Amino acid sequence: MIHVCSLSKVEETVAKTGAERLLSLLAAGTEVTRPASIARENHLHLVMHDIAVAQEGMTMPGEEHVRNLLDFARRWDRARPLVVHCYAGISRSTASAYIIAAALAPQRCEVELAETLRALSPTATPNPRLIAIADALLERNGRMIRAIEAIGRGAEAFECIPFELKIDGYESFTF
């Protein structure tokens, strides 16, 4: 189970779900405190800005970020949940949850997965740069990109309402 939340809800989400792994996607200088219940080796902190095109002074999501994310996800035994967060829980984290689900359930339809993401999170606006890199690395031939483009931009919000996404696609819901 993948749980997606904003930075402000990390401690609460980890406690509520019993998660043992944490993926943080934050800009340089944004502080995140790893909950005590998460072992250091079970926390991946990727530093990047939420941008899709290069901007001076900002770190654009890159192939190394996505490779690290995929390696981290593949080492997850799925015995206990994974929490994925960015600052607002809207863009980098929803892209990452989508990428992880696509990687760990390669038979799952990209369109169905994107539509499930939208149903679970009306605010989800997955970062297109992360999606494009993952699409190439996972050899999805543009299907991930097209599926995310099809769900469009999410509703405006300061932060998401935390939600969970099952890898196999069943019984996901907002909590």
Side-chain angles (χ1 to χ4, degrees):
M1 185 74 66
I2 302 169
H3 293 268
V4 179
C5 67
S6 63
L7 175 60
S8 71
K9 304 279 193 225
V10 169
E11 190 77 41
E12 173 186 336
T13 303
V14 167
K16 186 184 288 188
T17 64
E20 72 175 353
R21 293 179 75 79
L22 177 65
L23 172 60
S24 302
L25 304 110
L26 298 166
T30 305
E31 294 290 324
V32 61
T33 302
R34 179 177 43 83
S37 62
I38 303 287
R40 183 177 314 279
E41 64 272 11
N42 288 339
H43 181 206
L44 178 63
H45 182 183
L46 297 175
V47 177
M48 68 182 79
H49 287 88
D50 185 21
I51 57 175
V53 294
Q55 295 180 35
E56 189 172 329
M58 299 184 125
T59 304
M60 187 165 68
E63 185 175 322
E64 184 176 345
H65 293 116
V66 178
R67 284 188 186 282
N68 287 337
L69 180 158
L70 289 169
D71 289 344
F72 183 73
R74 288 177 177 136
R75 288 191 309 270
W76 172 36
D77 67 9
R78 297 192 239 172
R80 291 178 45 207
L82 162 68
V83 171
V84 178
H85 79 93
C86 57
Y87 188 80
I90 292 174
S91 182
R92 291 165 288 185
S93 58
T94 58
S96 297
Y98 180 83
I99 291 164
I100 292 166
L104 298 182
Q107 76 289 349
R108 194 164 179 191
C109 171
E110 297 86 358
V111 171
E112 177 275 326
L113 180 55
E115 289 172 350
T116 298
L117 183 64
R118 167 58 68 235
L120 294 170
S121 179
T123 62
T125 305
N127 179 286
R129 172 84 176 156
L130 287 169
I131 298 297
I133 294 167
D135 184 272
L137 291 175
L138 297 173
E139 300 178 348
R140 296 298 182 98
N141 301 312
R143 293 187 306 273
M144 290 174 71
I145 297 167
R146 289 188 299 276
I148 291 300
E149 287 174 347
I151 65 169
R153 182 172 176 78
E156 291 295 321
F158 177 72
E159 66 181 19
C160 78
I161 295 170
F163 66 95
E164 64 182 49
L165 176 65
K166 282 200 170 223
I167 303 294
D168 60 16
Y170 302 101
E171 300 176 28
S172 299
F173 61 92
T174 299
F175 61 95

